[in-house]
Amino acid sequence: MRLEHWLYTIPLRLRSLFRRNRVEQELAEELQYHLERKTEEFLPQGMSQDDARHAAMRAMDGLELRKEQCRDTRGVNSLETLLQDLRFGLRMLRKSPGFTSVAVLTLALGIGANTAIFSITDASLRKNGDWYRLGAVVGDEPHRTERIFHFSVAEFVNISALRDIFEQAGALQWSNSALTSGTYPERVGCAHITSSVLSSPLHLGRNFLPGEDRPGGPPVAILSYEFWQGHFNGDSQILGKRVKLDETDYTIVGVTRPHESAFGSGVMVPLQPNLSDPDRSRRNLWVLVTLRPGVTWIQVEARLSVLARQMARDNRIAHPEYADLQLHFWSIYEAMTSGTRPALLIALAAAALLLIVACANVAGLLIARATTRWREVAIRLALGARRSRIVRQMLTEALLLAAAGALSGILFAYWSLPSIIHLIPASWLAVDPTLIRVNPRVLLFAVTTALLTGFFFGVAPAWLSSRAEPLAALNAGGQRMAGSRQSRISRDSLVACEIALALIMLVSSAWMLETYRNLQSIDLGFEPAHVLSLTISLPTSRYSSAVKIGSFFENALAHVEALPGVQDAALVSGLPMFDRSVDLTTLDFSIEGRPPENGSEPDNANFRVISPGYFDLIGAHLLRGRFFNPDDRDGQPPVAIINETMARQFWPGANLIGQRIHLTSAQTSDRENTVIPPVQSNPVVTIVGVVSDVKQIRVIDAPVRPEFYLPELQNAALQPELTMMVRSPMEPEKLLPAIRNAIRSLDPELPVYGVQPMTQVVADSYGPKRIVTVLLLFFAAAAVLLSILGIYSVIAYSVIQRSHEIGVRLALGAHPRDIQRLIIKQGLRLSLIGLGIGVVGALFVARFLTHSVSGVTSVGLLYKVSPWNPLPMLAVGCTIFVATLAACYIPARRAMRVDPMVALRHE
């Protein structure tokens, strides 16, 4: 029965909606038929035709009431009413094209800015279930200022045994391999992984089998989707084919899915550790783990703490460093997003503030517009309209404005998104930039934002309109009702809030500008202009000894320095300001004649291997002693140069030239798969010089760590991968073909990669602060403009509403200048209230800008900027005050020219 009812009513309702005129005609004809039949029933009673018709009408309670009852039974009245409201709202907006255009453009700016920033934030920071559970095990030791990211095979076995908290555990190493194809050999990032690391489905083929990640396993490889498309043109028959990396042929067994993590590499090959290796001092593995579903980080930390104590108990004699070892879970999600998360969240907050300003501006315009429609509303109420219907009509108009603003905002976001993404260096993004787009999730956000904003700025005007009293409104006149206390307070409050938010955003922009200026004045320790960097990695299969490695790099330098246009060339094991802190290579050391206190562990510092001309090329300053020279090679006393921070920390005020340090064990860098052995050939080095600090990592305002430099001619075996830096008076990129040919003349199979100007390396380090600065400036400028428009509209409407009062004042002898001061005073009062609120809000926002960023290197967004410095706030306040004065001037001039007779006659 229920089904039959719906089968009957649904077609009836659809017919009532889409064939309304036909249905209404049929309804009128049917009621007319019943009226005639009813009339015929009264005629035999002796009534005339007219009396019988009137009696029939009374018996049927009137035709119009019957029509309404029939329409109610269709169940489509609400929808019909909505359609009526939409049609009426569109007509009203079309009648005011100026107001509609300003409101839509204002909302488009606010919604578009939020949509664009949300697109980046959603793609970069959205928590994926796998990402949230994927992480690395890291260690902390009291004597180290940097975390331990590498573990030995034996330690990996201990960690992977924790099956109660880890669903999977695997080991990972990175390398740079040479792929010989085309004109020049290419560098390919290669990830060496155990089979348990890669668990997601592949686009083609299969994952590594358990036996393939054991010693002696077959050489197989999995390609990343992007590498497969770029180098093999998406060959669907790629499985089973071979690719030659360095000196080894690998059989391709799989291809990852698009944009899926291949651990920053183009090729993945099996890592084949000897799981029975007992050597715990050879730490060169990342340990990646996946948490079991439902396991919390607190449980993981507790279980790892138990493991650390167990490792200390079982190995305390051979490895005393285990005594204070602490193990932690390091979320990959946190690691990949920590660099840009604060910047994106600040930008999203600024966009939200801009949207609030836009909403307040449109709400003020709607309130001012609503006050001119009080007579219309009063007439509708007098004719029987319900107040709820008035509110619904006003909200409908607001939602129409929001819908138009959302559509325009989406187009604005689509247009501006590439420019915003261009502000962020790709190395700072957690996702491929091509994945950041206006997708369905972003569209849903834009639509939701439009609905919320439409309700936000529409509810106050709707409520004020519904408060009209018909008799009072019709008797008093529209102008007087328009100037009611409620509407005036509402408009003034919105304008004050706009000014407060504009001040907050403009002061934040001033702080970020000062931060950016301070960062640009930082002494980097080197001169990046006209310097090109490129990396060369020597395969250990052909360069197995220090003699071969040293000879190649010495010849390479000589060939490149001989090229026309090359001013200088040098080698370094790690570019300044290029890596993250986790990529730095560090060494433990102890100072001769200064035994560790209370059995504490050796000290630790960064180290780099360099050629003799490195400091001259980068322009570092020699503070004491001497630089390296060509005589610092094998067979000569081992030497080192330290930076100023290391000298100040370990030899404060002492004559350190000639001091000797004992080098012990190294922590490998993540930039290559080079296993740096404990320093045995040169266990003791003599300090021969002190140089100025050079910025070490890409976080430009991060503090400099202790660092020492070893001559490449004495330590060639430590770094078979080096970066060559070339300085030229002309654009160094033009020398790249000649440099490639020079390297190729020495070894045609060696790839040259990582080519980039040092100016670009420095520019990328400004990434997060640059995006915050630029976006805050844009949003602040837009907010100030909207605030000025808001206060202008309020004052302009005030002049119109007070025309009778102004006319009376002028008629009684007031000078036009007095009227001008009266109007300007009103605007400045609103400005001062808004500025006062904004100062308090700005100091509150300063807490977030100065808060440190979580991650390996923790720094705030502000650098050498004190929020308590009154000058930026005073300058911004004066700017807004002057802009407010300018916004009030035009309405004030208009008020001066009011003709008293015209104003009084009109009233």
Side-chain angles (χ1 to χ4, degrees):
M1 191 68 181
R2 186 76 175 173
L3 179 61
E4 294 176 358
H5 172 75
W6 282 108
L7 291 176
Y8 171 76
T9 57
I10 289 177
L12 178 62
R13 291 177 179 178
L14 291 175
R15 188 167 178 267
S16 300
L17 282 175
F18 298 106
R19 304 193 64 181
R20 186 172 181 275
N21 292 336
R22 177 63 178 172
V23 171
E24 287 294 316
Q25 181 182 352
E26 292 175 356
L27 176 61
E29 292 174 354
E30 183 176 355
L31 290 177
Q32 186 64 36
Y33 171 79
H34 287 292
L35 179 63
E36 292 174 356
R37 300 287 78 77
K38 198 69 173 177
T39 301
E40 292 174 356
E41 292 179 4
F42 287 105
L43 287 175
Q45 299 179 13
M47 295 183 182
S48 65
Q49 183 71 28
D50 290 340
D51 291 341
R53 184 176 180 82
H54 286 306
M57 292 274 291
R58 288 193 299 271
M60 295 179 64
D61 296 326
L63 291 184
E64 293 303 320
L65 179 60
R66 288 295 183 181
K67 286 182 180 180
E68 287 297 324
Q69 292 173 346
C70 292
R71 294 183 186 116
D72 289 341
T73 59
R74 300 173 191 164
V76 295
N77 272 7
S78 299
L79 188 56
E80 287 181 349
T81 302
L82 176 62
L83 293 176
Q84 290 173 3
D85 289 342
L86 290 173
R87 286 194 293 269
F88 183 77
L90 288 173
R91 285 199 303 270
M92 295 303 296
L93 295 178
R94 192 166 54 246
K95 286 177 60 178
S96 306
F99 161 80
T100 303
S101 300
V102 171
V104 169
L105 290 176
T106 300
L107 292 173
L109 180 61
I111 296 175
N114 277 268
T115 302
I117 301 301
F118 178 79
S119 301
I120 303 174
T121 305
D122 178 66
S124 301
L125 304 184
R126 180 162 51 92
K127 288 188 177 181
N128 181 289
D130 293 337
W131 268 44
Y132 193 73
R133 294 194 295 129
L134 181 64
V137 176
V138 298
D140 285 327
E141 293 179 12
H143 71 283
R144 294 184 185 275
T145 57
E146 294 292 313
R147 276 186 159 174
I148 301 170
F149 291 92
H150 301 88
F151 295 90
S152 65
V153 173
E155 291 165 340
F156 162 63
V157 172
N158 293 150
I159 295 171
S160 59
L162 302 179
R163 307 301 297 175
D164 54 330
I165 57 172
F166 297 143
E167 186 175 70
Q168 292 178 336
L172 169 67
Q173 285 182 347
W174 283 276
S175 70
N176 297 313
S177 301
L179 175 69
T180 306
S181 63
T183 306
Y184 298 107
E186 296 180 68
R187 175 264 189 184
V188 178
C190 189
H192 300 250
I193 62 174
T194 55
S195 59
S196 57
V197 170
L198 189 63
S199 58
S200 57
L202 301 181
H203 179 71
L204 292 176
R206 62 171 176 84
N207 190 7
F208 297 137
L209 301 176
E212 292 172 340
D213 60 359
R214 296 293 181 266
V220 292
I222 295 175
L223 309 180
S224 72
Y225 182 89
E226 290 72 25
F227 184 78
W228 172 59
Q229 289 285 339
H231 288 75
F232 299 97
N233 298 317
D235 182 8
S236 59
Q237 306 298 320
I238 193 67
L239 299 182
K241 293 185 178 180
R242 290 181 170 272
V243 58
K244 188 172 184 179
L245 301 175
D246 293 334
E247 301 297 319
T248 305
D249 288 326
Y250 290 87
T251 302
I252 300 172
V253 297
V255 177
T256 67
R257 292 188 296 190
H259 305 294
E260 197 155 283
S261 174
F263 305 100
S265 62
V267 181
M268 293 179 289
V269 300
L271 178 66
Q272 299 172 337
N274 179 10
L275 299 182
S276 60
D277 184 0
D279 186 0
R280 290 179 174 266
S281 61
R282 191 179 181 84
R283 299 186 176 106
N284 51 28
L285 301 177
W286 274 73
V287 178
L288 298 183
V289 295
T290 303
L291 302 183
R292 287 190 175 277
V295 174
T296 65
W297 286 10
I298 296 177
Q299 293 173 314
V300 174
E301 291 292 305
R303 190 68 181 86
L304 288 175
S305 179
V306 172
L307 175 61
R309 290 195 299 269
Q310 180 182 342
M311 291 170 58
R313 184 179 63 251
D314 297 342
N315 304 275
R316 66 178 64 182
I317 297 176
H319 296 279
E321 70 272 15
Y322 282 169
D324 297 311
L325 176 67
Q326 297 176 353
L327 298 177
H328 303 283
F329 174 77
W330 189 49
S331 169
I332 296 297
Y333 169 82
E334 296 294 331
M336 297 189 69
T337 61
S338 61
T340 53
R341 185 193 299 116
L344 292 178
L345 292 181
I346 291 293
L348 192 60
L353 289 179
L354 177 62
L355 181 59
I356 294 174
V357 172
C359 289
N361 198 293
V362 176
L365 292 174
L366 282 175
I367 290 174
R369 184 169 178 266
T371 56
T372 64
R373 298 174 61 185
W374 274 41
R375 185 177 292 275
E376 169 203 335
V377 173
I379 293 174
R380 294 177 64 183
L381 290 172
L383 293 176
R386 296 189 300 272
R387 295 185 186 275
S388 60
R389 181 64 186 274
I390 300 297
V391 171
R392 184 169 59 184
Q393 174 63 48
M394 296 297 179
L395 282 177
T396 301
E397 293 182 23
L399 290 173
L400 284 173
L401 285 175
L407 180 60
S408 304
I410 291 171
L411 295 176
F412 172 78
Y414 183 82
W415 168 77
S416 63
L417 195 56
S419 300
I420 298 176
I421 296 173
H422 184 70
L423 294 174
I424 312 174
S427 59
W428 288 95
L429 288 171
V431 296
D432 191 311
T434 59
L435 293 179
I436 303 175
R437 61 175 71 96
V438 180
N439 54 32
R441 184 190 298 272
V442 175
L443 292 177
L444 178 62
F445 169 82
V447 171
T448 304
T449 303
L451 291 175
L452 292 176
T453 54
F455 180 80
F456 176 81
F457 66 72
V459 66
W463 181 78
L464 286 173
S465 297
S466 69
R467 300 286 294 174
E469 292 296 335
L471 185 60
L474 294 174
N475 289 336
Q479 292 290 346
R480 190 175 301 171
M481 294 305 298
S484 68
R485 178 181 176 84
Q486 288 178 336
S487 62
R488 186 170 62 252
I489 291 176
S490 300
R491 293 195 305 270
D492 291 353
S493 300
L494 289 172
V495 169
C497 290
E498 288 183 60
I499 293 174
L501 294 175
L503 181 133
I504 291 172
M505 296 175 66
L506 207 55
V507 168
S508 300
S509 302
W511 287 336
M512 288 305 302
L513 274 176
E514 189 176 355
T515 291
Y516 206 75
R517 186 187 64 188
N518 292 341
L519 290 176
Q520 289 182 319
S521 65
I522 288 178
D523 182 9
L524 303 177
F526 67 97
E527 179 54 53
H530 296 284
V531 176
L532 184 70
S533 66
L534 49 99
T535 305
I536 305 170
S537 181
L538 304 181
T540 55
S541 58
R542 288 186 285 117
Y543 296 88
S544 56
S545 66
V547 174
K548 291 182 179 180
I549 295 173
S551 175
F552 172 83
F553 281 121
E554 199 169 6
N555 291 333
L557 271 182
H559 279 66
V560 171
E561 287 176 335
L563 294 175
V566 173
Q567 180 179 334
D568 204 356
L571 296 166
V572 63
S573 59
L575 280 178
M577 295 188 66
F578 182 70
D579 294 325
R580 305 163 299 169
S581 59
V582 296
D583 300 316
L584 293 175
T585 305
T586 65
L587 262 175
D588 291 341
F589 69 93
S590 60
I591 301 173
E592 188 175 67
R594 193 184 300 176
E597 297 180 1
N598 300 325
S600 61
E601 295 298 323
D603 295 302
N604 180 267
N606 302 341
F607 88 95
R608 299 178 197 261
V609 174
I610 63 172
S611 64
Y614 172 72
F615 291 122
D616 288 329
L617 183 142
I618 67 172
H621 303 296
L622 180 66
L623 304 180
R624 275 176 277 181
R626 66 173 177 86
F627 286 147
F628 296 141
N629 57 54
D631 294 330
D632 295 319
R633 59 176 61 242
D634 281 339
Q636 298 299 317
V639 293
I641 294 174
I642 65 174
N643 70 349
E644 187 178 2
T645 295
M646 186 170 177
R648 185 170 56 250
Q649 181 172 335
F650 295 102
W651 292 276
N655 182 16
L656 53 83
I657 302 301
Q659 295 281 346
R660 291 153 60 90
I661 58 176
H662 292 255
L663 308 181
T664 53
S665 60
Q667 297 294 318
T668 59
S669 165
D670 293 326
R671 288 179 296 102
E672 71 280 331
N673 191 31
T674 305
V675 178
I676 303 177
V679 180
Q680 297 174 350
S681 58
N682 297 325
V684 180
V685 296
T686 302
I687 299 174
V688 296
V690 180
V691 295
S692 56
D693 288 338
V694 176
K695 286 293 180 179
Q696 297 157 335
I697 61 174
R698 66 185 187 185
V699 182
I700 192 170
D701 47 343
V704 175
R705 291 192 75 239
E707 184 169 46
F708 61 90
Y709 302 87
L710 302 176
E712 188 271 335
L713 296 176
Q714 289 183 344
N715 300 272
L718 287 180
Q719 292 287 358
E721 175 181 293
L722 291 175
T723 297
M724 181 178 290
M725 302 177 71
V726 179
R727 180 176 291 280
S728 172
M730 62 181 186
E731 292 298 325
E733 293 91 335
K734 297 179 180 179
L735 294 172
L736 184 58
I739 295 173
R740 287 186 183 274
N741 288 329
I743 302 300
R744 193 179 183 190
S745 67
L746 297 175
D747 189 333
E749 296 184 8
L750 280 183
V752 173
Y753 60 94
V755 179
Q756 58 182 328
M758 286 303 296
T759 51
Q760 185 62 45
V761 173
V762 174
D764 286 348
S765 67
Y766 291 95
K769 293 182 174 59
R770 182 171 64 217
I771 184 174
V772 171
T773 303
V774 173
L775 292 180
L776 272 180
L777 277 173
F778 173 76
F779 294 156
V784 170
L785 177 62
L786 292 179
S787 300
I788 299 308
L789 289 176
I791 202 166
Y792 168 80
S793 63
V794 165
I795 301 302
Y797 270 104
S798 175
V799 170
I800 295 174
Q801 294 162 6
R802 300 174 65 181
S803 59
H804 174 72
E805 173 196 342
I806 294 172
V808 171
R809 288 175 180 269
L810 291 172
L812 294 176
H815 194 277
R817 292 290 180 186
D818 297 330
I819 302 299
Q820 184 184 40
R821 282 194 295 270
L822 179 68
I823 300 301
I824 292 178
K825 181 180 177 181
Q826 178 187 356
L828 296 184
R829 178 175 58 83
L830 293 178
S831 178
L832 289 174
I833 294 173
L835 291 176
I837 299 172
V839 168
V840 177
L843 294 176
F844 179 77
V845 169
R847 295 179 55 193
F848 296 95
L849 293 178
T850 55
H851 186 64
S852 292
V853 179
S854 62
V856 178
T857 301
S858 297
V859 292
L861 282 173
L862 298 184
Y863 177 75
K864 290 186 177 181
V865 174
S866 173
W868 303 105
N869 183 2
L871 291 180
M873 206 167 295
L874 184 63
V876 169
C878 291
T879 301
I880 295 179
F881 191 81
V882 171
T884 301
L885 185 64
C888 297
Y889 179 75
I890 296 177
R893 290 282 297 176
R894 188 179 301 153
M896 293 172 58
R897 298 172 182 174
V898 170
D899 188 336
M901 295 302 297
V902 173
L904 296 174
R905 187 184 306 118
H906 175 73
E907 183 61 24

